[in-house]
Amino acid sequence: MSLRGDVCLVTGACGFLGTRLVRLLLEEENAAEIRLMDKQVQPTFVQSLEGCRGDTALSVFQGDIRDGDFLRKACRGASVVFHVAAIVDVTDAVEYSEMYAVNVKGTQLLLEACLQENVASFVYTSTIEVMGPNAKGEPVVNGDEDTAYDGALKFNYSKTKREAEQRTLRAHDEALQNGGRLATCALRCMYIYGEGCRFLLHHMGDGVRNKDVLIRMSLPEARVNPVYVGNVAAAHLQAARSLKDPQRRSIAGGKFYFISDDTPHASYSDFNHAVMAPLGFGIQEKLIVPLGVFYVFCFIMEVLCVMLRPFVRVTPPLKRRLLTMLNTPFSFSYQKAKRDLGYAPRYTWEEARKRTTEWLASELPKERERLSVK
């Protein structure tokens, strides 16, 4: 089953994952049209796609996901929606009201537009953080969709993404205006890395400041399983194909799936080192201070920020909840996505690491120059 002849709408089309998904759609599917939806779409991005679009039409929908009329226009005539757009923030720097309006209300408005405009399939980009880790730092090793876990979430990002995921899955099989039924599913992606990952750039910048030694923020035993962006894009494509196929739709519709690949399990810090070591970066052997002291430091910083709140809004660079996430073993298998969706990683760990490291190498001179100017 392919998306040949379909009209595909990609929200967040200019973002880290969105751009990779758009290119994959152009390279592998003979879709009738791909609609690039984002708050701002640069003409240079559209021009960069001309060489691989073939007969597929490219349309730009630039606007606000909180605008229901705009969403109805974007969805009119579409058959598949890939909802990638979201505010991603694990430091709580963004006000909760803004994050809720985009991540939750925006998703709800988009689902309503799909129902009104007879969109048949809706693939939602979720995150491992809707699962946890919880405030206690209870570990999960090679979990799956049936793993029971007390996911008392603390991040505003986690809370809004979980509510948006729940609304998406509840909308499965709702009636369209033309008498058909909407099919939905959600992909809970692990930490996504690859070309364009701003988190990797941030950590590389910190390493440059620290004389090419990466700062250790997680214990070696706190292993997670990051996933390469190219494999995440492939999972989205396979999910859309499955929702279009009547037999697979009956299995996958209304379900969530963990999306990982064969990237070796490692702590966040050790993973950063794995992709940056070829560039000459070392890594600290131990945390700057013992983990317990780190928690006390974060607590003091949080209290100070609360005290300053009446005068100025200050966000601490590190909170206890983020420290817990960085130091909790938390990994999940993609086997159910393989069985139900037919998903299989397109890129091996060796190829994903090579591509990521080469991209970081191209960015390193600019990062050194930027930091030298400061």
Side-chain angles (χ1 to χ4, degrees), residues 20 81 164 197 325:
R20 194 57 176 264
V81 167
C197 176
M325 185 186 81

Side-chain angles (χ1 to χ4, degrees), residues 7 18 47 73 103 113 149 195 203 216 226 228 243 301 323:
V7 176
Q47 292 167 6
K73 181 180 177 182
N103 291 358
Y149 190 76
E195 308 93 306
H203 292 305
R216 180 174 289 281
Y228 180 59
L243 293 182
M301 290 295 295
L323 192 60

Side-chain angles (χ1 to χ4, degrees), residues 97-110:
S97 58
E98 181 180 358
M99 183 171 291
Y100 188 88
V102 172
N103 291 358
V104 180
K105 291 185 177 178
T107 299
Q108 183 62 45
L109 287 171
L110 186 59

